Each structure stands twice: as C-alpha cells, then as structure tokens.
Amino acid sequence: MEIWINPACSKCRSAIKLLDAEGAGYTVRRYLDDVPDEDEIRAVLDRLGLEPWDITRTQEAEAKELGLGDWPREAGERARWVSALARHPKLIQRPIITADDGSAVVARTEEAVREALNRTAS
C-alpha cells in the first residue's frame, strides 16, 4: 500500500495516524517532492475509477490562475487535465491510498482509510 501525502495537510496526517494505529504496512510518497508523471496519474485515476477533474483541487490559487474552472470536463480534455496535474502537483487531491488489491481511494475521511485497509487485508 502506498499513500500520497502532503505533510502540511491535516487530512494526510490523520490518515497516517490511522494507518499507524492499525499497524498497516505502507509506503509514504510525498508527491510534491516526488512528483507523479502523467503515466502514474493516469494509472492512479484508473485505480480510483475517477477522471482527473474529480481529483483536482480547483479552489487552489494555481487552479484559478490556470482557469481550470472553465476547462471542459469531458473525455477529449482528459490529457490536458492530466498534464496540468503532473505540472502542478499541488492541485492533486490528497491523500490518495493505493491498496494492495489494485484499487485506490481518496482517503479524506476515516471511512475511506478503513476502506483501503479492508481492501488490503482481503
């Protein structure tokens, strides 16, 4: 299991605390320092079953500067969104946990973290 985090994020810290409390084995990826490339972003999106605009932090200043709020949310624009996330990793929603069963979750709640733990334990 891997968790993509920003250490400054309270939701990330909460997820790590819960993983530690449950004795889970995991690898931390500080995705602002170890930026995922476009292929990695596409792979995690496939695992999440989401589109790039679903994991984009559109209220961030960078998102507003890029005008993401006006970008079409359609299949033909997917590559543009993925490219923006690779160039501006701060826009990636966090934390993201990739479970051992090949799935992933955006782990912003205790329930989502437990879901990832259950997928890993199965």
Side-chain angles (χ1 to χ4, degrees):
M1 176 170 23
E2 181 176 78
I3 182 168
W4 291 10
I5 69 159
N6 172 352
C9 167
S10 64
K11 301 250 185 228
C12 294
R13 292 190 306 271
S14 293
I16 293 286
K17 185 176 179 180
L18 180 55
L19 291 174
D20 288 344
E22 294 295 325
Y26 63 91
T27 302
V28 170
R29 180 170 186 173
R30 293 179 179 218
Y31 71 92
L32 296 179
D33 299 323
D34 182 9
V35 179
D37 63 25
E38 291 183 23
D39 288 338
E40 289 174 301
I41 292 169
R42 280 189 288 276
V44 89
L45 286 167
D46 289 345
R47 292 175 80 165
L48 288 165
L50 297 173
E51 293 296 337
W53 45 86
D54 296 326
I55 66 161
T56 300
R57 298 173 57 83
T58 57
Q59 297 306 309
E60 291 285 338
E62 285 181 55
K64 292 178 180 184
E65 289 169 17
L66 293 169
L68 291 181
D70 297 327
W71 289 15
R73 296 175 180 216
E74 55 194 37
E77 295 293 318
R78 191 174 204 257
R80 181 181 183 196
W81 283 84
V82 169
S83 177
L85 292 174
R87 286 189 328 271
H88 305 277
K90 188 174 185 180
L91 299 179
I92 298 172
Q93 191 59 264
R94 62 199 181 238
I96 293 175
I97 297 176
T98 55
D100 293 345
D101 71 352
S103 66
V105 297
V106 178
R108 295 188 57 76
T109 64
E110 180 177 330
E111 294 77 21
V113 175
R114 291 195 182 283
E115 181 181 337
L117 283 167
N118 289 339
R119 290 178 183 183
T120 296
S122 317

